[in-house]
Amino acid sequence: PWASFAIFEARGAIGGTWDLFRYPGIRSDSDMYTLGYSFRPWPGKKTIADGPSILQYIEDTAAEAGIDREIRFNHRIVTAEWSSEDSLWQVTAERTDPDTGTVDTVELTCGFLYSCTGYYRYDRGHQPEFPGMADFQGELVYPQHWPEDLDYAGKKVVVIGSGATAVTLVPAMARDAGHVTMLQRSPTYVVSVPERSPIAKGLRRILPDERAGAITRWILALGTQGSYFLSKRNPEFVKKALRKGLERELPAGYDIDTHFNPSYDPWDQRLCAVPDGDLFKSLTDGSASIVTDQIERFTATGIELASGERLEADIIVSATGLELLFLGGIDLVVDDEKVDVSERLVYKGMMLEGVPNLAIAVGYTNASWTLKADLTADYVTRLLTHMRSTGVTRCMPLNDDPTMTEAPLLGLDAGYINRSADRFPKAGSKFPWRVYQSYFRDYRVLKKSDVDDGVMHFSRQP
């Protein structure tokens, strides 16, 4: 209550992902009871919810708390420079006039900087340069820049990719397209989940919404984490369970070994969830199909594959993954020295080694992003309160263990993560620098432990 604050938003609207992405079928790939806010449980009936419903939930939550009135839209932070002499960040942002497009510079200072920028680029996704792309005479579409007037009714569509975006697009477009082909270089683990949670439905019958929402959140968080750790300890068992699910969902004799048998273990990359098996229904009724092959080149009328097969297409959708961007691309400077974040360790998954008064919301890769972001926000609040009550002006985590070794920050072997790993900070081999990707461990570490732990160094402005 005592803090003054400013929220800078680079885009012109609230909602982030759920405002940017407008492609058909856009939906969550985590259950909404854990992806939703802990302080305002998800009110919808769908466990896997559509993008517009999620955006409305975010907007309503911000309006209810008055947060929407505090956001400075079209402000992109470009640099943040820390002065130990002043115990302040000097923040420089570019402000774009939404009407004229003119850009001017805004500067302000703050005592604490909290980055909630997510971890991927908003201006572009990952786009491989396939030979002959310029030869294609149809429409080439990117999910991050979906045309509002794209007409695919009755047309032949090829969706390149096998991740969450692709498995969402295929059944959504298959309802109106002539045919949709999902072209994948390699398979992904795909699992059918109920669109509506029977757990949430049952609890809402007997408990108030807020209580039911809190219990559902814990049950589903426990289930997701249990699935992850079981996959790590006994991958062969999980592989067999996933295959049995596919055999129930797909027609007899379907070539599961080619199209749904990844070369990696479950949860080395995220599992793709499809609500009520909608992807499998599209494959079963013939409105969609999967081709597992390499792209040789684009042609005027489609794609030529390494096998020699040709896919004819009126529209090609390139759902080939994300580009990651740490801190939203902000340049960090501490006492006139630029910070190379790739050389820093991350403290408790949320602060940078040797960087004062800076916190970062980095969510989970094996569960809902919000679970970790929520814990981080609570910890930052406790940290600020501690600093105020003790009269200190600086907090900075420092590693003094010479035996500490480095590990990747994000615990997945996905292509979009590996492409950017060298530009991200590192986790350490020991607590509190190790990133566990465990909500239950982090709950104890971030919510129950003392902020003054001997690793976090506090000091006052001279």
Side-chain angles (χ1 to χ4, degrees):
W2 48 264
S4 61
F5 65 94
I7 303 174
F8 279 16
E9 165 60 55
R11 302 179 67 249
I14 202 170
T17 294
W18 308 108
D19 178 70
L20 175 70
F21 286 99
R22 302 297 180 95
Y23 58 79
I26 173 69
R27 66 193 182 206
S28 63
D29 66 346
S30 300
D31 72 88
M32 287 307 303
Y33 300 98
T34 57
L35 188 62
Y37 301 110
S38 61
F39 55 87
R40 189 173 182 268
W42 170 246
K45 294 181 179 180
K46 292 183 179 180
T47 306
I48 303 296
D50 60 275
S53 296
I54 300 171
L55 178 59
Q56 188 65 57
Y57 169 63
I58 293 171
E59 291 175 341
D60 291 347
T61 305
E64 186 177 282
I67 298 298
D68 54 346
R69 298 189 293 274
E70 304 291 345
I71 302 173
R72 306 185 191 191
F73 293 105
N74 300 300
H75 283 62
R76 180 183 299 277
I77 297 177
V78 291
T79 60
E81 302 178 63
W82 171 261
S83 167
S84 292
E85 181 180 351
D86 301 320
S87 286
L88 289 173
W89 285 101
Q90 175 83 27
V91 177
T92 303
E94 294 177 346
R95 177 176 56 196
T96 303
D97 187 303
D99 297 321
T100 65
T102 57
V103 179
D104 61 355
T105 299
V106 174
E107 294 184 349
L108 80 166
T109 59
C110 62
F112 197 94
L113 188 62
Y114 187 20
S115 171
C116 303
T117 56
Y119 71 165
Y120 71 85
R121 295 188 68 127
Y122 274 71
D123 57 343
R124 70 165 190 252
H126 174 64
Q127 179 52 58
E129 286 296 320
F130 298 112
M133 289 180 73
D135 298 334
F136 181 55
Q137 299 299 303
E139 293 187 79
L140 181 58
V141 179
Y142 304 98
Q144 278 181 260
H145 307 285
W146 195 268
E148 291 185 10
D149 59 350
L150 181 67
D151 180 14
Y152 53 88
K155 295 183 179 180
K156 291 175 287 187
V157 179
V158 173
V159 177
I160 304 172
S162 61
T165 302
V167 302
T168 296
L169 275 166
V170 170
M173 297 185 76
R175 299 185 190 107
D176 298 311
H179 187 80
V180 179
T181 302
M182 188 171 92
L183 172 58
Q184 60 181 12
R185 182 177 56 185
S186 56
T188 299
Y189 287 108
V190 183
V191 59
S192 178
V193 298
E195 187 175 56
R196 301 190 178 193
S197 168
I199 296 170
K201 184 178 179 181
L203 287 172
R204 280 177 170 173
R205 284 177 179 168
I206 58 176
L207 295 172
D209 285 351
E210 187 171 342
R211 183 67 176 156
I215 295 175
T216 302
R217 182 183 179 88
W218 271 104
I219 291 173
L220 294 182
L222 177 63
T224 302
Q225 294 277 275
S227 165
Y228 174 78
F229 289 114
L230 178 61
S231 297
K232 292 300 182 183
R233 291 187 176 93
N234 195 339
E236 293 306 316
F237 173 81
V238 175
K239 283 182 184 179
K240 290 178 182 178
L242 291 172
R243 187 179 182 94
K244 287 186 179 296
L246 291 169
E247 290 171 350
R248 287 193 299 268
E249 296 280 354
L250 292 165
Y254 191 88
D255 192 355
I256 293 174
D257 286 332
T258 298
H259 302 308
F260 289 104
N261 187 27
S263 58
Y264 56 89
D265 287 337
W267 278 115
D268 284 353
Q269 299 182 25
R270 278 186 74 100
L271 271 65
C272 286
V274 293
D276 291 340
D278 61 357
L279 173 67
F280 306 128
K281 292 174 182 176
S282 297
L283 297 174
T284 300
D285 66 24
S287 59
S289 58
I290 296 180
V291 172
T292 304
D293 207 332
Q294 303 277 344
I295 294 176
E296 187 71 24
R297 62 175 291 107
F298 278 48
T299 68
T301 59
I303 297 175
E304 182 180 327
L305 303 175
S307 63
E309 183 183 354
R310 289 175 176 264
L311 296 177
E312 298 296 312
D314 302 303
I315 299 170
I316 296 175
V317 181
S318 184
T320 47
L322 305 172
E323 286 284 346
L324 301 193
L325 186 66
F326 188 68
L327 276 177
I330 299 169
D331 285 332
L332 288 181
V333 178
V334 173
D335 293 330
D336 299 322
E337 290 190 15
K338 186 171 180 178
V339 177
D340 184 347
V341 297
S342 68
E343 296 180 351
R344 305 298 176 106
L345 295 177
V346 173
Y347 169 83
K348 294 185 177 179
M350 52 155 289
M351 297 184 78
L352 290 180
E353 171 194 14
V355 179
N357 293 26
L358 170 71
I360 305 153
V362 179
Y364 293 119
T365 55
N366 64 352
S368 293
W369 182 274
T370 312
L371 288 173
K372 179 62 180 294
D374 194 44
L375 292 176
T376 302
D378 182 78
Y379 185 90
V380 169
T381 302
R382 293 201 297 125
L383 180 61
L384 293 173
T385 300
H386 173 81
M387 293 174 68
R388 178 178 171 83
S389 64
T390 57
V392 300
T393 57
R394 293 191 289 263
C395 64
M396 180 169 62
L398 293 173
N399 171 43
D400 57 6
D401 184 351
T403 67
M404 187 75 64
T405 57
E406 295 181 350
L409 174 63
L410 303 171
L412 290 179
D413 191 30
Y416 72 97
I417 290 176
N418 293 334
R419 286 192 297 269
S420 306
D422 61 334
R423 300 191 294 275
F424 271 60
K426 307 298 188 292
S429 56
K430 304 175 186 177
F431 178 81
W433 306 96
R434 186 175 175 183
V435 176
Y436 292 97
Q437 297 291 343
S438 168
Y439 178 62
F440 306 103
R441 187 186 292 265
D442 287 339
Y443 190 89
R444 294 193 302 270
V445 167
L446 294 178
K447 211 170 181 70
K448 301 297 183 181
S449 62
D450 193 339
V451 296
D452 190 358
D453 61 358
V455 178
M456 184 72 74
H457 289 250
F458 298 94
S459 59
R460 291 179 177 84
Q461 181 180 353

